[in-house]
Every structure is written in C-alpha cells, then in structure tokens.
Amino acid sequence: MVEHEEADVVVIGSGMGGLAAARAIAQFGDRRVLVLEQHYTLGGMTHEFSRAGRFRFGTGLHYMSASAGPFLEFMTDGRAQLAPLPDEYDILHFPDFDFAVPSGPERFRARLVERFPDEAGAIDGFFRTVRRAMTGLAARNVLASLPAGIRAIGAPLVERLYPSTFRSSAEQVARSVRDPRLRAILAARWGLYGIPPTASAFGYHAAVPLTFFMDGTAHPVGGPAELGRIIVQILRRYGVELRPRQLVHEVLVERGRVTGVDVEDTGTGGRYRVKTAAVVSAAGVRNTYALIGQSGRLNDLPAEPSALMLFLGLDRSPAEFGVRGENHWFMPGLDAYDGTLYVSFPSLNNPAARHHTVEVLELVDPAVVDRWRGAKEDGYREFKAAVTARLLDRLERQWPGFRSAVAFAELGTPLSFEHYQDSARGSFYGLAATPQRLRSARAGCRTPVKGLFVAGQDAWGSGVVGALAGGLMAANAVLRPSQLGTMWRTVRARPAARDAAVPWEGFLRVAAVEALTPQVRRIRLESLDGGPLPFTFAGGQYVKLELPVAVEPIERSYSICSGPDALEIAVKHEPDGLGSGFLHTDLAPGDVLRVSGPHGAFTLEPSEHTLLIGGGVGVTPLLGMLAGATGRIDLLVSYRTAEDVLFAAELVALRERLPGLRVHEFVTKETGRIGLEALRPFAGATRVHLCGPAGMMQELIGHLTDLGVPREAIHTEAFVSGRSAQTRRERAHAIALAAGASTFTIGVAGDRAFPCRPGQTVLDAANAAGVDLPQSCGEGSCGTCRVRVLAGGYETDSRGLFSAGELAAGWRLACQTLPTGDLTISR
C-alpha cells in the first residue's frame, strides 16, 4: 500500500538551486516546502567526503568570486566566511609561455596591454563586448523564466540586440583580437563551465571567467560543506523539511498539470506519494523531463561533458613546490583543448584545513567509461590506475618531486558523478553551455507542465552562484507577483544585522597559546582578519569549539576567562580527554577552529554581596565575571597544590582595581578543602556562583543550604564532558529500541501532561509540546532546567549540580533525564 501525504511545494534535489528555491518560496510565499534528496547528504555539490581518516575533499566547488555577492549573502544571511586566494589566482600554462591572471579587471587589462601593446584598442573593445554579452545572457535567462508567450516574442529580440552572447567563444575572440597568444589567453579557463571555445556560447564565457571571477577569488573557510551547513540550518528555521535518501521515481501529471510525486525512501525501501500542485526540480533538465516521460523533447540539445577528477592527499605542504594556493591551468596548445587540466590546492586556501589536499580536473566525454556502465569489471581498475599515473606524471613535470609527496590518490570518473549526484551520464555542469542551449525553450526554469519548474545550473548557468540564481528564477516563477517585489528587494539588500540573542557561529583564529600550569593552557582566539570579535559576551558565558581530532570533529564547551576586549579560554588536560588532548598537544597559533557562542546564563547580576567559589579550573568563568564586576565580592578559590594555582597575576591586578573584592585561596594539600566552617563567614551572601568538580559542588551546595543561603541564590556551572553527551545519545538509542510503547506520558504537577518519545529527554519533549520549563544551555552545564521527579523510571546524569539532599528528594536536570516509562515531575 502506498502512503500519502501533502506539501504545498516539493523540491527535488538539495543542491544550491534547490535550496535557494526552497528558501525563497518558504520565506516569501509562506508555503510548506518539502525537499527530497536522493543522496544521504544534503547540500549537492558542496558535499565533502573523507578518506584515509584525515583528508577531506570537495566534490564540485573549487573556488568562487572573492565577494559572496547578493545571492550567496542572501542564502547564508551574510554568514559565509571566505578566504581570498593569492592575488594572481589563475596561472595559465601554455606549451611555450605562462600567463598569470591578476585580481581586478583594470589590472587584468593592464597586464594584457603590457604583454600585447599593439592590441590595446582591441583589448578595450573586447571588454566592452564582454559587458554586452553578459547583459545579453542575463536578459535571456530572465526571459526564460517567463511564460511561453512572452518567451516566444522576446527570444528573437534578445538575440538580435546581443548577438555576441550567442556566438561561439572562439568566433567572438577571433573577431576581437588578432594575436594568437592573446586569443588563447582570453579564451582560456573555459573549464569553469565545461565547453571548449569552439562550441561554447560567448555569453557563458563572458559571465564566468571574465566577469564573476574578475575581482578576485576565494574559498569558503571550513570547506564547501560549510556553505551547505549554514544554508540548511537557515532553511530549517523557515520550516523547510529536508529529507535525504529519498528517490523520486515520477512526477505525476494530470491534464498537463502537476499533481504530485512518487517517492522511494531508499533507507527503508518504503514507497509513498506526496500530493502537491507545485514541483521544483533541481535534478537537472534531463532528469526532470525523464520524470514526466518526455526525455525525447531534449534530443536537439548537445550532450554534456563529464569529468575525471583526481583527489590527492599529501603528507607535506604544496607550498614546498612553490605553490601559494593559486589555481593552475595546463593547456595543450593555443587552439587545442583536449587534455586541458585544472589543478587546485584547497588546503592552502582553507585556513581551517588540517591536512593538505590537491584536486585535478580533466573534462571528458562520458563515453570514455561507457564500456563499464553496466559492470565495473574487465579493466575498470586498470583504466583508473592508468589515468591516475598519467595525471601524476603531468604534475611531476611541473613540480619535480611532487609524486613523492602523495600519500593518497583516488580517481573519480563519469560513473562516480552519475552514481553520487544522479546526473545524466555524469554531467558535471548541467546542460552544455552552447548557443543551442540559449536558443532552446527547454533550457530554463519553465517546462511544458503547469506547476513543474527547474532550478539550479540548468535554469541560469554553471557554478554555485549560477545554481543559486537558477533557484531564485524558479522561485520567481512559483511565487505570486505580489510576493516577488519583497523577494528581490530582500535579495539585493545586505543581510540584517545578526540577532545578538542567537549565538554566533563561524571560524576564529588561534592568536596565542600559553601554559598556565603543567596541566592548564590559556588559548586566545581572534577574528580571521584580526579585527573586532564578531560577537560580544558577558562574564561567565562559554563558547563551543569543534575540534578536528578525527575525520568527524567533536564539540567541546569551554568557559571564557577574559574580559570583553579579548576571547580567552583555559583548558585543563584531562587524562584520555580527546578534546583537551588535542588542545594541549596539537593546537598552535595560527590554527583556525569553528566556534559558536556565547552560550550560557551563568552570569552576574547586581547583588549586595556576591560569593564566587571556584575549584581548580572552575575559576575560569569567575575570572571572566570579575572583569566587569562591582560591589562587595568574596572569591574563594581552591587548588590541589601550589603548582596548580591559576591566574595569580590577574587576581593581583583585580584586587587593585576592585576595592570590594576579597580573594581567599585554599590549597587543599596544605589547608584542606573548603568546608562548612570556611563558608560560615559568607552565609549572608545574596548571590552565589559555584563552579568546580562535581563532588566539590555537590558538597558545597549542601553546606550553603545548611547555612541558610536560599537555594535560588545559588548558581552553578559544571564541566561538560563530550563523552557524557555521546553516552546520552547512546542510551537514548538503547531506550528507544527497548521501549514497549511508542510514547511515554510526562505528567506535571499543577500543569498539563505532555508526550515524550522513547529516547527524548524531558526537556526536548517539553519544548516539542510547548510546555514551558526553565532552560539555558541544554547540555547539563548550567543547572537551570531543574525539575523534581516524583514518580516513574528514568536514566540521568546528575553532574554535581545538586546536593546529596536534593538528589535524594528527586531533583534532576530535564536536559539530562531520559524517561524509560511514564513519568511525573514538578517544577
């Protein structure tokens, strides 16, 4: 039996075009959008994969314009961080000369005129033609998004007004300049859209290498997948549902109009049907027409190229061979194109990369692997080995000794791209960028079926920005006219200022690393450009760091120990600790880490008498608090030995600056631990902040309560172990598997009950049901989400945020408590 569901709009494919269409339609059309992705990873060609436990490779995004531009700014809410490539970002290697392409159109023109002074006037004329051809391409693509009647009238007019757009690149370059070498330079880099100059439409050549990249180029910090990660996160905020491993078998059509899609969940093998009146396909024009059984209508379009891509992992930096991060293009001749190679060095351009990688691209006819399309036996391995050896030979000739640096090599073929991205015969750039494509009514976001639209590269042009533009063109066709003005004004405008209530996420650079004790390091983080920090924080808050200890990073939380003018954390090296071990043994100044923050509500508020208690590295958030503190403050700090004392110089300076501050030090091996009698003089404190080891905190909460300090005046912060979060996920999975019911019920004294799925924490279930529970960090460090369990079975981690008496009375953290059956709680 086929299950049924409904959606306002279904988007097929989660490449940049599909995601752009999904966001625009959800945001400006207020539609319920469902994105179906056949791959197990969202993000299309921003996807990355890992090999040999350390090397990470991109699949389609190698470099992009130095400026994010309005489309990418819109899609990422201005959060994309780009690292510039070297100023001379493309080096062209011809058989008997080289040419370095510099950033900036004026510098590019000046270098051409310097090299070819007799062609100065022709060069200026050529760039005027580039601007007109680019305008013609934009006009043609916008026209292609309009209804058929308008297209039929407008298409001949556009070609008549902008003939250079429709000429072949080779013809237009030959019309413009005479020198064969100059022609070769101007026609080079056609690999950015995939069709050699003899066959490509000059409009695409004008748009991509001669316009989009002219102001310089950049690489996403963190790798291409960072763009997909940001965009998917934003889409979920707009209510877009994204499902990987969903293969669309058919777009259902009745009387020329879309009615739904038939889908297979390849993870479970289940089949279902989604009823919808609008489908946006980011799967390419050929796949889209196949889904409606009309592939024959595309027979007039020329076949698309595919690619051979060699992924290399190196055991030393490419900089040893004189490479600075620029791209290298190897051309077989002035007017010969077969065998053109593109070589990029993403690890030199991604400040967050930990291991060095190289990617080599050669565009080919997909027929080179046709003999293995059904079965990859009888020579496929040998074919790949031979291609790998040939490409490595070429690199070795350019950079002697290069081959010896290669620690890993893997070749992707047209069959690889066909399998992973489900493109027609491994097509790399979508429809061929030819004059025939420009003249075709099928090459655009409109189809002959009402309610069926195309997004992505086939709706505009090649590359990430081209795919995004194609997605917006599809949204332009789906949305009502009254909604389009708002969409385009928003896209053109700069993103709104970041909401300070939402933690910032991005990359920071390690500015300094300092050993405070043999076990504790202080680490200073700064903006990538050395400018102001991208967020502000309050004393007592913390940041989360993603640490690249393996192929998949781990996340750890660390309290901020500095004032607002710097971002510093202090990290104790825990035995067998993955995170602290990395930060103590592998981290060095200049490294780049992914950071989110600030987090936490362990912050000071005005109080008549504040008592701060820190054990060991637990003094870290307290030091941050003192940077902006005033009034009467007693600070009790406890260390195991004199060698473990932290921040001695800083505390001396704070004593001088804060007349109300008194510091009391306890070295437990000499004076004993902070006990009941040591706390007695401070029993009148109106606000207490406590941070340290779990056993110490549990004991001190009990002492403070015995001394009459109100429980609501005691604020706690615990050390969050990454292993604890992993353990909780594992236990949640085990509970879900063992549950005899699909739903547990959590009753709340004096309030309504709410459902809880087996494997959900009490806090997650409450949030899903709209039940208000106090909360802050959500990970068991702050102690805000205190609830009292009155009855029922559960598993939990108490974290030392309660006294022994409170634990006995049933107090637990909602974010750490996993019900194993029905539960009754109170607040």
Side-chain angles (χ1 to χ4, degrees):
M1 186 176 85
V2 177
E3 296 185 3
H4 290 75
E5 56 182 283
E6 294 185 15
D8 295 335
V9 180
V10 171
V11 175
I12 304 172
S14 68
M16 289 298 100
L19 297 181
R23 172 170 178 179
I25 294 166
Q27 180 176 351
F28 303 108
D30 194 26
R31 311 277 188 93
R32 189 161 55 89
V33 180
L34 171 64
V35 177
L36 303 173
E37 168 58 52
Q38 60 92 24
H39 201 321
Y40 54 80
T41 300
L42 302 168
M45 295 302 278
T46 64
H47 171 61
E48 296 179 38
F49 67 94
S50 58
R51 291 291 187 268
R54 53 180 173 144
F55 300 115
R56 293 194 68 86
F57 299 100
T59 53
L61 193 162
H62 297 95
Y63 67 138
M64 54 195 303
S65 173
S67 168
F71 292 166
L72 190 60
E73 285 272 317
F74 163 69
M75 283 300 295
T76 63
D77 285 354
R79 289 169 50 189
Q81 292 176 279
L82 303 179
L85 269 68
D87 180 69
E88 294 181 337
Y89 60 90
D90 275 335
I91 309 297
L92 313 180
H93 300 283
F94 293 95
D96 57 352
F97 75 98
D98 294 342
F99 184 86
V101 179
S103 299
E106 290 304 317
R107 295 186 62 227
F108 185 39
R109 176 203 171 274
R111 183 163 294 182
L112 290 171
V113 170
E114 180 184 11
R115 191 82 171 255
F116 305 97
D118 294 342
E119 298 262 24
I123 290 169
D124 289 339
F126 175 77
F127 283 111
R128 287 194 294 271
T129 302
V130 166
R131 289 191 289 273
R132 282 196 58 79
M134 175 66 180
T135 302
L137 179 69
R140 181 270 169 200
N141 285 344
V142 171
L143 185 68
S145 72
L146 301 178
I150 300 175
R151 296 201 308 271
I153 297 171
L157 179 62
V158 170
E159 185 166 1
R160 194 157 55 245
L161 290 173
Y162 303 100
S164 60
T165 301
F166 294 79
R167 293 188 187 112
S168 76
S169 298
E171 179 187 354
Q172 184 57 58
V173 171
R175 282 171 173 250
S176 300
V177 299
R178 298 185 305 276
D179 191 294
R181 291 191 173 199
L182 177 56
R183 289 179 177 178
I185 291 169
L186 295 178
R189 299 184 292 159
W190 56 270
L192 291 169
Y193 55 88
I195 301 298
T198 50
S200 63
F202 184 67
Y204 292 108
H205 193 72
V208 184
L210 298 176
T211 299
F212 292 161
F213 290 99
M214 271 294 93
D215 286 325
T217 55
H219 189 279
V221 178
E226 186 65 18
L227 297 181
R229 175 179 184 166
I230 292 170
I231 292 169
V232 165
Q233 189 180 75
I234 293 169
L235 260 65
R236 288 186 169 129
R237 194 176 74 225
Y238 282 103
V240 175
E241 183 179 354
L242 301 113
R243 296 181 190 169
R245 299 181 185 271
Q246 308 298 305
L247 181 61
V248 176
H249 284 280
E250 184 182 1
V251 174
L252 304 173
V253 180
E254 292 181 11
R255 298 178 182 177
R257 181 179 294 276
V258 163
T259 60
V261 292
D262 272 345
V263 190
E264 176 188 356
D265 184 331
T266 59
T268 65
R271 298 289 289 264
Y272 62 98
R273 179 169 295 177
V274 183
K275 181 181 178 182
T276 184
V279 172
V280 174
S281 172
V285 163
R286 293 197 187 277
N287 283 336
T288 302
Y289 275 68
L291 290 173
I292 57 173
Q294 297 187 24
S295 296
R297 301 189 66 166
L298 304 177
N299 290 338
D300 60 329
L301 289 172
E304 300 83 40
S306 185
L308 298 168
M309 187 177 291
L310 181 61
F311 302 96
L312 300 174
L314 305 187
D315 58 12
R316 58 186 191 270
S317 172
E320 295 185 18
F321 302 98
V323 176
R324 298 174 298 122
E326 70 280 359
N327 307 297
H328 289 259
W329 296 84
F330 297 94
M331 269 69 66
L334 296 183
D335 54 4
Y337 308 112
D338 287 345
T340 297
L341 291 186
Y342 164 78
V343 185
S344 66
F345 301 87
S347 61
L348 292 181
N349 300 316
N350 174 13
R354 299 291 299 175
H355 302 283
H356 286 292
T357 57
V358 182
E359 294 169 8
V360 183
L361 175 70
E362 180 180 15
L363 291 160
V364 296
D365 186 328
V368 299
V369 293
D370 274 354
R371 75 188 78 171
W372 300 291
R373 192 163 298 280
K376 297 177 184 177
E377 304 297 335
D378 301 326
Y380 185 64
R381 288 176 180 270
E382 290 77 9
F383 166 78
K384 293 178 68 173
V387 171
T388 299
R390 172 173 62 81
L391 297 179
L392 286 175
D393 285 345
R394 184 64 189 86
L395 302 182
E396 181 72 17
R397 289 196 298 273
Q398 179 68 27
W399 299 292
F402 185 90
R403 188 190 291 268
S404 66
V406 176
F408 170 83
E410 181 175 324
L411 183 75
T413 75
L415 297 179
S416 309
F417 296 111
E418 185 176 331
H419 173 74
Y420 287 108
Q421 69 183 49
D422 196 31
S423 58
R425 291 174 59 79
S427 167
F428 199 70
Y429 285 121
L431 291 176
T434 62
Q436 295 98 310
R437 170 178 171 176
L438 291 178
R439 297 184 180 109
S440 172
R442 271 83 67 196
C445 70
R446 295 276 180 173
T447 75
V449 175
K450 292 183 179 180
L452 176 61
F453 308 92
V454 174
Q457 294 185 115
D458 287 354
W460 188 275
S462 64
V464 170
V465 174
L468 289 177
L472 294 176
M473 286 296 101
N476 193 78
V478 171
L479 294 172
R480 295 192 298 272
S482 60
Q483 297 164 336
L484 294 178
T486 303
M487 182 185 89
W488 288 114
R489 283 193 299 272
T490 304
V491 169
R492 287 194 297 267
R494 293 193 63 82
R498 186 181 71 86
D499 183 354
V502 178
W504 178 86
E505 294 182 56
F507 290 87
L508 299 177
R509 191 183 308 278
V510 177
V513 179
E514 175 191 2
L516 299 179
T517 73
Q519 287 79 38
V520 179
R521 271 185 155 192
R522 176 162 49 192
I523 299 165
R524 174 175 292 185
L525 300 167
E526 65 178 6
S527 295
L528 295 181
D529 60 3
L533 288 168
F535 60 88
T536 58
F537 55 86
Q541 290 190 295
Y542 63 93
V543 291
K544 296 180 182 180
L545 273 57
E546 274 195 3
L547 305 177
V549 300
V551 173
E552 294 300 326
I554 61 172
E555 187 176 82
R556 295 291 186 265
S557 301
Y558 297 102
S559 295
I560 301 169
C561 62
S562 56
D565 296 332
L567 177 59
E568 296 178 344
I569 60 174
V571 181
K572 181 181 179 182
H573 192 179
E574 300 289 347
D576 302 321
L578 283 177
S580 64
F582 170 82
L583 293 172
H584 273 257
T585 61
D586 296 328
L587 193 73
D591 288 349
V592 170
L593 297 174
R594 195 174 194 283
V595 178
S596 72
H599 300 276
F602 189 61
T603 54
L604 280 183
E605 293 181 4
S607 174
E608 293 181 13
H609 177 195
T610 301
L611 174 62
L612 307 178
I613 308 173
V617 77
V619 71
T620 299
L622 310 182
L623 192 72
M625 291 178 185
L626 289 171
T630 58
R632 181 186 172 188
I633 305 169
D634 282 288
L635 172 64
L636 280 62
V637 289
S638 172
Y639 305 104
R640 194 170 60 86
T641 69
E643 189 181 50
D644 298 320
V645 172
L646 295 170
F647 307 118
E650 288 82 354
L651 290 176
V652 168
L654 283 168
R655 281 192 181 106
E656 295 175 356
R657 190 174 65 79
L658 300 174
L661 172 64
R662 292 179 296 173
V663 179
H664 313 268
E665 294 185 347
F666 297 79
V667 179
T668 58
K669 279 205 168 184
E670 299 173 8
T671 60
R673 298 166 64 177
I674 302 173
L676 181 64
E677 292 308 313
L679 290 173
R680 194 176 296 280
F682 313 106
T686 52
R687 187 177 183 89
V688 179
H689 282 258
L690 173 61
C691 183
M696 168 191 168
M697 293 173 64
Q698 181 177 328
E699 184 176 305
L700 293 183
I701 291 171
H703 291 332
L704 290 166
T705 304
D706 292 342
L707 290 170
V709 178
R711 185 60 179 86
E712 60 271 17
I714 303 172
H715 304 269
T716 53
E717 182 97 315
F719 301 114
V720 177
S721 163
R723 285 193 299 273
S724 176
Q726 178 65 30
T727 300
R728 188 169 68 254
R729 286 192 293 270
E730 291 170 355
R731 290 306 307 148
H733 182 64
I735 289 171
L737 290 176
S742 61
T743 305
F744 301 141
T745 298
I746 300 179
V748 184
D751 203 340
R752 65 183 176 91
F754 58 91
C756 176
R757 290 195 324 272
Q760 268 189 312
T761 66
V762 171
L763 183 61
D764 286 342
N767 288 339
V771 174
D772 186 27
L773 292 182
Q775 57 192 283
S776 177
C777 74
E779 59 183 30
S781 64
C782 69
T784 303
C785 59
R786 304 168 74 244
V787 296
R788 189 176 182 185
V789 179
L790 303 178
Y794 60 91
E795 295 186 10
T796 194
D797 180 351
S798 60
R799 295 301 179 96
L801 296 175
F802 301 101
S803 68
E806 289 172 325
L807 290 173
W811 287 100
R812 299 291 184 268
L813 296 178
C815 71
Q816 302 298 303
T817 300
L818 294 159
T820 56
D822 294 344
L823 211 62
T824 303
I825 65 173
S826 66
R827 286 177 279 199

